[in-house]
Amino acid sequence: EAGVAQSPRYKIIEKRQSVAFWCNPISGHATLYWYQQILGQGPKLLIQFQNNGVVDDSQLPKDRFSAERLKGVDSTLKIQPAKLEDSAVYLCASSFRDRGTNEKLFFGSGTQLSVL
Amino acid sequence: DAKTTQPPSMDCAEGRAANLPCNHSTISGNEYVYWYRQIHSQGPQYIIHGLKNNETNEMASLIITEDRKSSTLILPHATLRDTAVYYCIEKTSGSRLTFGEGTQLTVNP
């Protein structure tokens, strides 16, 4: 079975520029997550979708970060404008079960963002 | 914020069992213990989870103490490919998966 696909694998931008990341979850997975992982730390949840609806975006810096999951499949995460502290790996994950049950998350390999 | 405590690093000889401890002294009755690992340059990978009974699957065994305040993840025959950061996470059904800093396990030849 194909895993979670993410692109690009690497991105280098200057501060105040915009950037977008793309994620294609495992087929049939209703739940999609975006995590941010700063070097040396564990991943931190930014936003969780159930189909195309947001169920948790409490840790998303909404002044600069946005995400969408049109049609309940692919998702994009955007940063506009980027700051130096946004340098991190952005991980996408998906799971089959609905929120409210114990679910196993499958992660992509991430997009490594460097903001100069 | 993560509520589990893990040693920052551990070493293990190839072919030997790796026993990774985790303290979760404030765990509540409806919280599960989850283990994920993250190999360098990859996303985290689910290993196993449990509530109060010991669990085993093709990857590992999870031993949870009777009072549920701590647990141990056991990799029975560690290989070089098991070198990774291992995360122990408390989680209720439906709550977000919150990662701490984990344990860096290094398997040595």
Side-chain angles (χ1 to χ4, degrees):
Chain A
E1 142 183 294
V4 176
Q6 290 190 247
S7 67
R9 189 75 176 89
Y10 303 93
K11 190 73 178 178
I12 301 173
I13 62 172
E14 295 187 350
K15 61 184 179 183
R16 292 188 289 274
Q17 285 188 322
S18 302
V19 64
F21 314 122
W22 173 82
C23 173
N24 182 239
I26 293 172
S27 178
H29 281 195
T31 311
L32 185 146
Y33 314 76
W34 283 102
Y35 280 80
Q36 178 194 58
Q37 185 171 24
I38 293 171
L39 187 64
Q41 299 180 16
K44 181 183 87 169
L45 180 68
L46 292 176
I47 189 168
Q48 176 182 343
F49 292 93
Q50 182 70 27
N51 296 309
N52 60 350
V54 175
V55 295
D56 186 350
D57 64 356
S58 57
Q59 300 187 109
L60 185 74
K62 299 180 186 62
D63 58 334
R64 298 183 301 105
F65 285 65
S66 64
E68 60 182 11
R69 191 183 183 198
L70 299 176
K71 302 180 183 178
V73 181
D74 293 7
S75 177
T76 56
L77 176 69
K78 297 179 182 178
I79 308 175
Q80 181 178 8
K83 292 185 175 181
L84 297 177
E85 59 261 36
D86 298 331
S87 294
V89 175
Y90 291 84
L91 295 159
C92 180
S94 68
S95 65
F96 176 72
R97 293 182 180 275
D98 293 339
R99 189 172 191 247
T101 61
N102 282 306
E103 69 270 25
K104 181 191 307 184
L105 272 64
F106 294 83
F107 284 81
S109 295
T111 296
Q112 184 171 326
L113 174 67
S114 297
V115 182
L116 307 178
Chain B
D1 292 322
K3 295 176 286 185
T4 61
T5 304
Q6 299 178 253
S9 64
M10 293 183 64
D11 285 279
C12 176
E14 188 177 20
R16 305 297 295 269
N19 297 286
L20 291 94
C22 179
N23 287 322
H24 31 79
S25 58
T26 60
I27 194 168
S28 60
N30 63 344
E31 285 185 305
Y32 289 74
V33 178
Y34 278 74
W35 284 85
Y36 279 73
R37 74 179 183 182
Q38 187 171 22
I39 295 169
H40 183 62
S41 296
Q42 297 183 21
Q45 176 191 24
Y46 167 85
I47 301 173
I48 199 167
H49 76 281
L51 183 62
K52 53 184 177 181
N53 297 321
N54 297 338
E55 303 287 344
T56 296
N57 63 20
E58 66 279 5
M59 290 185 69
S61 294
L62 174 60
I63 308 298
I64 302 174
T65 58
E66 192 169 341
D67 63 8
R68 301 207 325 122
K69 292 180 186 265
S70 66
S71 61
T72 301
L73 180 75
I74 301 172
L75 307 178
H77 304 287
T79 71
L80 299 179
R81 290 174 295 181
D82 292 321
T83 292
V85 178
Y86 286 78
Y87 297 99
C88 170
I89 303 163
E90 295 175 6
K91 181 182 176 309
T92 60
S93 189
S95 70
R96 72 170 68 108
L97 198 66
T98 301
F99 291 83
E101 295 187 353
T103 295
Q104 171 66 58
L105 174 69
T106 301
V107 181
N108 300 304

